Amino acid sequence: MAKHHVTATVNGDPVEFLCETQDTLLDVLRDQLGLTGTKEGCATGDCGACSVTVDARLVCSCLMLAVEAEGKAVATIEGMAEGETLHPLQRKFLDHAALQCGICTPGFLIAARALLEKHPEPTETEVRYWLAGNLCRCTGYDKIVRAVLDAAAEMRGA
Amino acid sequence: MRYEAPGSLDQAVALLAAEPGEARVLAGGTDLLVQLRTDLIEPALLVDIKRIPEMRRIAEEGGGFRVGAAATAAELKEHPRLKAVWPGLVEAANLIGSTQVQGRATMGGNLCNGSPAADSVPALIAAGAIASIAGPNGRREVPVEDIMQGPRRLALAKGEIVASFLLPPRPARTADAYLRFIPRTEMDIAVVGCGVCLTLDASGTCTAARVALGAVAPRPLQVPEAARALVGTKLDAGALDRLDAAARGACQPIDDKRGTREYRTKVAGVLARRTAQIALERARKA
Amino acid sequence: MQQKVKTNGAAAFDWVGTRPVRPDGVDKVTGRARFGADLAMQGQLIGKVLRSPHPHARIRSIDTSAAAALPGVKAIVTRDDFKDQPSQLIPAGEQMINYRDVVRNVMAREKALYEGHAVAAVAATSAGIAKQALKLIEVDYEVLPHVIDVVEAMRPGAPLLHEGMITAGVEPAPKTPSNVAKRVEVGHGDVAVGLRHADVVVERTFTTQPVHQGYIEPHACVASVSEDGQADVWCTTQGHWMVRAQCARLLGWETSRIRVTASEIGGGFGAKTVVYLEPLALALAKKARRPVKMVMTREEVFRASGPTSGAHVRVKVGARLDGRIVAAEAELKYQAGAFPGSPVQPGCMCAFAPYDIENVKVVGYDVVTNRPKVAAYRAPGAPISEFAVECVVDDIAARLGMSPIELRLKNAAKQGTKAAYGPKLGPVGFIETLEAARAHDHWRAPLGKNQGRGVASGFWFNVGGETSVSLQLNEDGTLSLTVGTPDIGGLRASMCMMAAEELGVDIESIRVQIGDTGQLGFNFLTGGSRATFSSGMATVEAAREVIREACKRAAKLWELPEDAVEYRKGAVRPAGANAGKHAPLTLRDIAGLAGKTGGPIAGYARINAQGAAPSFGTHIADVEVDPETGKVTVVRYTAIQDAGRAIHPSYVEGQYQGGVAQGIGWALNEEYIYGPDGRLQNPGFLDYRVPVASDLPMIDTVIVEVPNPRHPYGVRGVGETPIIPPLAAVANAVADATGVRFADLPMSPPRVLAALDDARARGKAKI
């Protein structure tokens, strides 16, 4: 069974890869493209650690076949900072100590950025419900929510 | 396992019909990929229908809406008019999983995955949605409540795909609502789901209603007795009691890790009341 | 709102108590940080484990020949590849383990003792081939009856997991084997006598279910063994020296042959103080002569790694009308899973520890059952026993018409109180947490409809232990600090801060790394709330050594006696009569002169950190109960805890908040659900329900500081105490809202509704 040949862009860069039908986008990002910032926590779409955006849409990369990425623009955590300049969300997560072990952090940052792109002025409740698909076991979510609200405020003001 | 991404419904139907082994439609993949990963299914062919424009389109048609079976829950929410006309349905679809899942999940997949607990199905049934099915022998229209026959059993022949849902024109003073009960606030499979759509006359009396329940029977149920409890009333306490009883009476639930028989039955009655009240509030303003 | 209460005088520090950005932070927000599964080695194979589908079965034979013949399969290991281990107890974290059991948990020998128990492992050129190979391994099982409930397992006639098991700790020893591995007892005084003076006595039985630590990162490792037997392991762990020790033992290799590097760790909470994959990966790597990477799936994590015990607990407390508790006793039955070693002992030790009680007795039973061997979970054993006690204390307060905070104040443990397990407490901050709770806005805020408020306290003793660090003064005056306790959430920041405080330098000039096992002396693991305390103590000692050496060098240059110089504000200066005679020499200056004055300057600390002090907490929870569905929502929460001294307050707050979230999950929705067939029904995050962001409110924190006099900065471990109070705080809040006291966790909606309906029928429900 011949592999699929896929062309896509990841973080703005053109990529090409071969994959089997059952390989997920998460598998390919981590194992072939060396982008290990996106994590596997469950492989069933229940934890959000594998969050990426595909054509600006927030998705779980464990729930997408790699072959479905044909022609799409994928954005992962590695592309969030611009050179040495961290995205406001990244800075606020650091300032607010919104991470402890850090394994869920890439997923949260990608998800939060997608939120703020659609809803620049979310309430605390809206933040919590948008991020309900991102599990964190270390922080109890408090500082994460504060960091997101603070980043939103800064991004509106800037 | 082969993968095809046809650009037309005819091609998709042909692929599915011609496959001697097991063939699966790949829409959002949010159920399919989990089943593949856990070796629950081992299909020979995946047919990705996301390149078929008809299946993705959301358009007004004949006073109602034709919603492509592969439009994502997120797209339903972002459509400028759909949420205003069918808030319950759009909310139901956007209760599936998480924001990430809603970015991919579709009502076609939600229905055809064949889970009695599917979130969008009771809302589709309450709205009176008709599924448009494309198959080797042409098209046929089937009310959504007749599609699922039991867990993972659909009234679809080999090669047939649900292409779209037709939501009928919504009369004045009509509104829908959907509620589900889960132990957390998000991320759980429905323990009970309830969709209600009702129409009021100028005096505020209910003249028509549809009530559907999910996760309390081998398939999502339309509950005519529950609807009858509301028709001709202003949803006074007595009507709501009868609604509650009718909802409970229709339940044939199971005991499983998500809820006991007794609990599901009780909560079905509670949800029916609460859902009907939301639909009532909305219908008054519609 | 985050508050801090300084109760023992505010000290002025440059760094300690501030909130700098953590040094490893940028890597973690950019995806650069590498966790267990993020490493790939050239030529690596993928390892997968075959696991028993039966909860209890004798393994008659294992035939791997078909699997071995599959192209792409490079190595297979079974029980035959691991030598049996004699029975020997060693400390690991806060528990003792027995190698006879460790070797069997890592790879089943005579029997499969739980569904998910490892039976064989394969290394192949791809995951797909490895999975196929597993299907080709034929295991001949003789299925045996199983037992998964702790009370059932204790009954005579219950299926026996270990044929020769005689209960330890019973005199005279029983004649017949059972599933009770041991009995423990702590206490003093005479409970029966004490109860005679009680005006009110409450006795209740409680049950809790096994809950999983729920870390988001599955176990993962990469192992490589060269032809001359040198082995490297990269793994996610709370203790890489423990990994080295256990692998060396299980494989029969010298310790020095194995070097373990700890990756970043995506959560552990006690559960990553155990080896599962590492010995398998090493054995496979040696056989295959290629590196082997092994990563657990989420399902494997649930089925095959240790949750904490489920338990059956009876508590009886007697008090006088004035609120003094006169006697208290408890009986704890904890399930250990397939091998002995539940945390029943710390459960016994902590049960009544917040209270000064003259007559107290706690008896505990460690019981094996056909479930995965339990692993430590944040204050192991204590949340269970303290849940039960804190609920009973609340009940007593209600019966006496006394505020639950007042009742606790009347009985609060303090300096000099003798704990049930023996020692007298040093200075502690329990009373301060109670007073802070009483003074907090939360305690006075009005409650809405269907809402209730509960309060509960918690105690954990914290540990110290063996610690080694190395602090190098680099040529340009910057510093490199190497510590050995993996950073589970802010450790690097705190170490830099303490070192900077000691040395009087900017924290930016200190770079900290977690060293591998070849770079430092032994380090006990990150657990027991010990890392900030122990690595901090060692870091301070190493910094002081650097300072002493810097002073020596300066004195030599200035031709002054060593005691005629002093170190202040980052520089050595002549002291006393010689003050001002020479310009101060900064560390940078001295670094530049190191070679000329005797060689590189460094501080090495190798200690067994003593003086770890307990941390007390008091929490307030508000809940709202839906009367028609039984759903409980936590609407407000405040966690107050004594940190001794908060080195980095944000990370102390983070520990409080994280523990609270886990405790709330434990109280409301988390549980292992087994079918009568002994198989786990919810091995995934869909149906194992940890709290999600929308389930929780903001978690307010108050850091109380009653410094620990035995740590240079007064630090107390804080990581474990926070998970203890939430179970009873939530249960007591639900009781306040509904009039129904819950004794069985989790308080999931069906259970709450059933209990409400029952109470309504008896006219006892408030809603």
Side-chain angles (χ1 to χ4, degrees):
Chain A
M1 172 66 235
K3 291 192 178 185
H4 306 287
H5 177 256
V6 177
T7 328
T9 66
V10 177
N11 299 328
D13 295 328
V15 301
E16 268 184 71
F17 55 84
L18 295 175
C19 64
E20 315 228 348
T21 302
Q22 65 270 20
D23 292 337
T24 63
L25 176 59
L26 178 63
D27 295 335
V28 166
L29 285 172
R30 289 180 55 81
D31 300 334
Q32 283 200 52
L33 300 178
L35 296 167
T36 57
T38 308
K39 309 298 180 194
E40 176 174 314
C42 71
T44 51
D46 297 309
C47 77
C50 69
S51 298
V52 299
T53 61
V54 176
D55 287 350
R57 176 72 74 194
L58 178 66
V59 300
C60 280
S61 59
C62 75
L63 291 182
M64 222 176 112
L65 297 177
V67 64
E68 293 179 272
E70 173 63 43
K72 304 258 184 266
V74 179
T76 72
I77 184 66
E78 287 89 345
M80 191 152 172
E82 283 189 30
E84 277 182 28
T85 310
L86 295 177
H87 187 281
L89 278 165
Q90 291 170 306
R91 266 193 292 108
K92 292 299 182 185
F93 266 57
L94 291 175
D95 291 341
H96 284 269
L99 57 143
Q100 287 179 37
C101 80
I103 191 85
C104 72
T105 305
F108 267 99
L109 287 169
I110 293 288
R113 182 177 66 176
L115 166 67
L116 298 185
E117 276 166 6
K118 281 218 152 51
H119 305 281
E121 203 168 345
T123 63
E124 179 193 330
T125 304
E126 284 167 344
V127 172
R128 288 182 179 277
Y129 275 85
W130 182 277
L131 295 176
N134 290 79
L135 298 184
C136 175
R137 199 56 165 162
C138 292
T139 68
Y141 306 105
D142 183 298
K143 293 180 189 297
I144 291 175
V145 173
R146 289 180 201 276
V148 174
L149 290 169
D150 194 10
E154 181 185 295
M155 286 165 71
R156 285 196 304 274
Chain B
M1 184 169 51
R2 287 166 12 253
Y3 166 91
E4 301 284 350
S8 77
L9 255 178
D10 287 339
Q11 285 172 2
V13 167
L15 282 165
L16 291 167
E19 176 58 43
E22 189 184 355
R24 289 289 184 129
V25 172
L26 172 64
T30 58
D31 286 312
L32 195 78
L33 264 69
V34 177
Q35 291 164 20
L36 280 174
R37 188 134 200 142
T38 51
D39 292 330
L40 252 139
I41 56 172
E42 291 183 54
L45 167 66
L46 293 182
V47 178
D48 184 342
I49 43 75
K50 293 191 287 296
R51 299 209 191 138
I52 302 169
E54 175 185 344
M55 294 199 65
R56 313 267 326 253
R57 200 179 299 130
I58 306 170
E60 308 208 28
E61 181 181 304
F65 283 89
R66 183 164 294 284
V67 179
T72 66
E75 285 165 347
L76 297 178
K77 191 163 73 167
E78 288 160 6
H79 188 275
R81 292 248 313 132
L82 188 63
K83 190 180 159 83
V85 181
W86 294 106
L89 177 64
V90 173
E91 282 160 3
N94 281 281
L95 282 173
I96 302 170
S98 60
T99 310
Q100 288 88 339
V101 167
Q102 291 143 26
R104 300 283 289 174
T106 68
M107 294 201 295
N110 198 222
L111 172 65
C112 296
N113 183 48
S115 164
D119 275 311
S120 67
V121 181
L124 280 166
I125 294 174
I130 311 281
S132 179
I133 300 167
N137 298 327
R139 297 283 275 233
R140 59 191 185 101
E141 318 297 307
V142 178
V144 168
E145 58 267 28
D146 294 334
I147 303 275
M148 240 192 88
Q149 295 176 324
R152 309 211 184 279
R153 277 191 308 119
L154 306 170
L156 294 178
K158 189 170 172 68
E160 286 192 311
I161 310 177
V162 173
S164 61
F165 298 101
L166 182 66
L167 300 172
R170 200 203 64 186
R173 283 188 291 272
T174 300
D176 72 337
Y178 176 82
L179 286 180
R180 74 172 176 187
F181 181 81
I182 52 171
R184 293 180 290 182
T185 52
E186 287 283 311
M187 299 304 287
D188 291 322
I189 299 288
V191 174
V192 180
C194 179
V196 173
C197 182
L198 47 84
T199 304
L200 306 174
D201 68 13
S203 76
T205 306
C206 175
T207 57
R210 286 173 68 87
V211 177
L213 290 173
V216 294
R219 62 195 195 115
L221 294 177
Q222 197 203 348
V223 190
E225 319 83 75
R228 278 195 293 277
L230 299 178
V231 171
T233 78
K234 290 190 176 178
L235 274 68
D236 56 284
L240 290 175
D241 284 345
R242 287 190 298 280
L243 169 73
D244 187 324
R248 281 185 281 117
C251 292
Q252 321 148 36
I254 55 169
D255 271 345
D256 75 357
K257 57 184 176 280
R258 297 178 186 136
T260 59
R261 244 187 300 272
E262 190 192 83
Y263 185 74
R264 289 185 139 118
T265 305
K266 263 210 178 104
V267 173
V270 172
L271 278 195
R273 288 171 184 264
R274 294 181 181 181
T275 315
Q277 279 163 324
I278 298 173
L280 178 69
E281 283 310 306
R282 286 178 175 161
R284 284 180 180 148
K285 298 184 208 141
Chain C
M1 187 181 51
Q2 320 299 1
Q3 288 174 32
K4 199 150 144 199
V5 174
K6 281 194 159 49
T7 50
N8 269 23
F13 292 119
D14 291 328
W15 295 108
V16 167
T18 64
R19 299 173 189 251
V21 170
R22 61 195 276 179
D24 55 323
V26 172
D27 282 354
K28 291 194 166 149
V29 298
T30 56
R32 192 177 295 118
R34 289 196 307 175
F35 293 80
D38 295 338
L39 183 78
M41 289 184 75
Q42 296 275 35
Q44 74 182 15
L45 302 168
I46 302 297
K48 292 272 171 214
V49 180
L50 181 67
R51 299 185 179 279
S52 167
H54 306 294
H56 195 194
R58 207 171 301 282
I59 302 174
R60 286 197 275 240
S61 66
I62 306 174
D63 183 352
T64 59
S65 51
L70 187 67
V73 171
K74 300 299 181 189
I76 303 182
V77 294
T78 66
R79 57 193 174 179
D80 297 334
D81 295 280
F82 293 91
K83 254 182 72 173
D84 200 353
Q85 298 287 333
S87 183
Q88 186 189 351
L89 282 169
I90 54 146
E94 291 142 305
Q95 302 174 143
M96 302 294 277
I97 62 164
N98 191 327
Y99 270 116
R100 174 204 61 199
D101 298 334
V102 174
V103 72
R104 279 165 176 77
N105 197 32
V106 161
M107 184 66 78
R109 294 186 87 79
E110 305 84 6
K111 286 186 179 185
L113 289 163
Y114 53 97
E115 182 218 16
H117 198 169
V119 168
V122 166
T125 51
S126 75
I129 294 174
K131 281 195 225 165
Q132 257 185 287
L134 293 185
K135 292 188 184 150
L136 294 173
I137 298 178
E138 290 178 28
V139 184
D140 184 11
Y141 293 106
E142 178 196 335
V143 178
L144 301 168
H146 61 270
V147 61
I148 58 173
D149 175 78
V150 68
V151 171
E152 289 304 313
M154 290 177 81
R155 286 199 213 292
L160 267 189
L161 274 75
H162 303 280
E163 270 95 32
M165 182 174 285
I166 299 287
T167 311
V170 176
E171 292 298 327
K175 297 229 170 46
T176 49
S178 71
N179 290 318
V180 183
K182 84 176 169 188
R183 177 190 185 281
V184 295
E185 182 174 329
V186 300
H188 52 246
D190 187 326
V191 169
V193 166
L195 283 173
R196 280 191 237 130
H197 300 280
D199 297 309
V200 60
V201 176
V202 173
E203 180 173 10
R204 280 193 91 100
T205 304
F206 298 80
T207 64
T208 69
Q209 300 303 316
V211 291
H212 196 273
Q213 299 80 350
Y215 36 88
I216 307 299
E217 181 207 25
H219 300 265
C221 68
V222 186
S224 159
V225 183
S226 67
E227 280 69 11
D228 66 350
Q230 303 300 312
D232 279 286
V233 178
W234 162 277
C235 62
T236 172
T237 180
Q238 289 172 245
H240 34 318
W241 276 263
M242 172 278 300
V243 172
R244 183 181 72 171
Q246 295 200 22
C247 289
R249 176 68 177 253
L250 293 176
L251 294 161
W253 298 348
E254 295 110 340
T255 303
S256 54
R257 272 174 59 181
I258 307 176
R259 179 176 58 176
V260 184
T261 303
S263 68
E264 296 303 323
I265 171 173
F269 314 109
K272 289 179 178 162
T273 60
V274 191
V275 293
Y276 297 107
L277 298 175
E278 296 79 3
L280 303 181
L282 279 167
L284 287 168
K286 178 156 198 286
K287 263 193 174 181
R289 297 174 204 253
R290 284 169 67 168
V292 174
K293 179 169 179 173
M294 298 183 77
V295 181
M296 277 199 196
T297 63
R298 178 53 52 184
E299 198 177 317
E300 286 180 293
V301 172
F302 276 113
R303 282 198 208 282
S305 73
T308 192
S309 306
H312 185 276
V313 175
R314 185 183 59 80
V315 171
K316 185 171 182 177
V317 175
R320 295 198 309 244
L321 282 176
D322 67 353
R324 269 304 278 162
I325 296 173
V326 290
E329 69 177 9
E331 184 184 66
L332 317 182
K333 295 171 182 164
Y334 282 25
Q335 37 162 298
F339 299 96
S342 76
V344 70
Q345 180 127 25
C348 289
M349 291 159 72
C350 293
F352 293 107
Y355 307 108
D356 179 6
I357 307 176
E358 214 178 292
N359 305 291
V360 59
K361 174 174 164 177
V362 188
V363 173
Y365 297 95
D366 182 34
V367 183
V368 295
T369 55
N370 291 113
R371 290 172 179 252
K373 164 78 179 63
V374 301
Y377 181 17
R378 211 163 191 162
I384 298 166
S385 62
E386 293 189 64
F387 157 63
V389 169
E390 291 297 299
C391 285
V392 168
V393 166
D394 197 66
D395 197 340
I396 291 198
R399 286 166 202 260
L400 293 177
M402 190 177 281
S403 145
I405 293 185
E406 292 310 315
L407 179 68
R408 287 176 172 84
L409 279 166
K410 282 198 184 328
N411 295 281
K414 51 189 192 286
Q415 183 163 12
T417 299
K418 185 172 156 69
Y421 60 98
K424 291 212 172 122
L425 292 177
V428 288
F430 183 32
I431 289 174
E432 286 81 350
T433 67
L434 289 167
E435 287 170 344
R438 186 174 56 183
H440 200 286
D441 277 347
H442 186 171
W443 192 239
R444 280 185 296 283
L447 284 166
K449 187 162 185 257
N450 298 330
Q451 293 186 349
R453 178 166 300 148
V455 68
S457 297
F459 161 94
W460 183 253
F461 39 76
N462 301 325
V463 307
E466 292 181 86
T467 315
S468 304
V469 313
S470 157
L471 179 60
Q472 313 291 331
L473 180 62
N474 300 319
E475 313 89 274
D476 63 351
T478 61
L479 295 124
S480 298
L481 172 64
T482 306
V483 302
T485 41
D487 185 348
I488 58 177
L491 175 99
R492 286 179 181 92
S494 304
M495 298 304 108
C496 279
M497 291 164 77
M498 281 187 267
E501 196 70 55
E502 287 292 311
L503 294 162
V505 300
D506 191 301
I507 51 165
E508 295 290 316
S509 67
I510 306 175
R511 182 167 173 152
V512 60
Q513 62 170 3
I514 313 298
D516 67 45
T517 57
Q519 292 173 328
L520 290 172
F522 188 86
N523 273 278
F524 200 47
L525 42 80
T526 296
S529 307
R530 68 173 292 270
T532 306
F533 174 80
S534 307
S535 283
M537 190 183 272
T539 296
V540 167
E541 190 175 303
R544 290 179 182 174
E545 185 177 338
V546 167
I547 291 170
R548 271 196 303 280
E549 191 60 32
C551 287
K552 244 167 109 168
R553 305 298 178 93
K556 186 169 170 175
L557 275 170
W558 294 330
E559 290 172 355
L560 290 172
E562 273 173 40
D563 59 4
V565 304
E566 64 179 5
Y567 186 88
R568 246 186 328 111
K569 292 201 203 298
V572 188
R573 304 147 199 282
N578 295 299
K581 275 216 183 116
H582 301 275
L585 286 171
T586 63
L587 274 186
R588 189 194 163 97
D589 298 328
I590 296 191
L593 298 164
K596 277 198 278 210
T597 56
I601 296 174
Y604 298 105
R606 302 171 293 284
I607 64 175
N608 190 337
Q610 301 297 304
S615 180
F616 280 92
T618 298
H619 294 191
I620 308 170
D622 287 354
V623 303
E624 185 170 311
V625 180
D626 182 329
E628 292 182 304
T629 65
K631 184 163 175 172
V632 176
T633 305
V634 177
V635 296
R636 185 170 176 181
Y637 203 101
T638 304
I640 302 161
Q641 187 180 333
D642 175 16
R645 172 106 54 211
I647 304 297
H648 193 313
S650 301
Y651 290 104
V652 172
E653 289 160 0
Q655 289 299 314
Y656 295 4
Q657 293 165 332
V660 164
Q662 288 180 316
I664 289 175
W666 197 332
L668 290 182
N669 276 309
E670 291 181 41
E671 60 177 321
Y672 264 43
I673 301 173
Y674 277 83
D677 59 358
R679 298 205 165 111
L680 184 62
Q681 293 184 345
N682 61 337
F685 281 129
L686 176 61
D687 290 305
Y688 183 85
R689 304 190 182 105
V690 305
V692 299
S694 43
D695 290 337
L696 299 175
M698 291 297 186
I699 301 168
D700 293 331
T701 59
V702 177
I703 301 176
V704 166
E705 289 183 321
V706 175
N708 170 12
R710 298 187 61 190
H711 184 276
Y713 286 99
V715 167
R716 294 177 193 272
V718 295
E720 290 171 281
T721 297
I723 197 176
I724 299 169
L727 281 62
V730 172
N732 292 337
V734 173
D736 186 45
T738 62
V740 179
R741 286 198 178 272
F742 280 85
D744 303 300
L745 296 184
M747 291 174 283
S748 54
R751 292 207 181 99
V752 173
L753 187 62
L756 269 178
D757 284 343
D758 179 70
R760 285 167 180 150
R762 292 179 291 115
K764 299 249 185 229
K766 275 164 85 171
I767 61 168

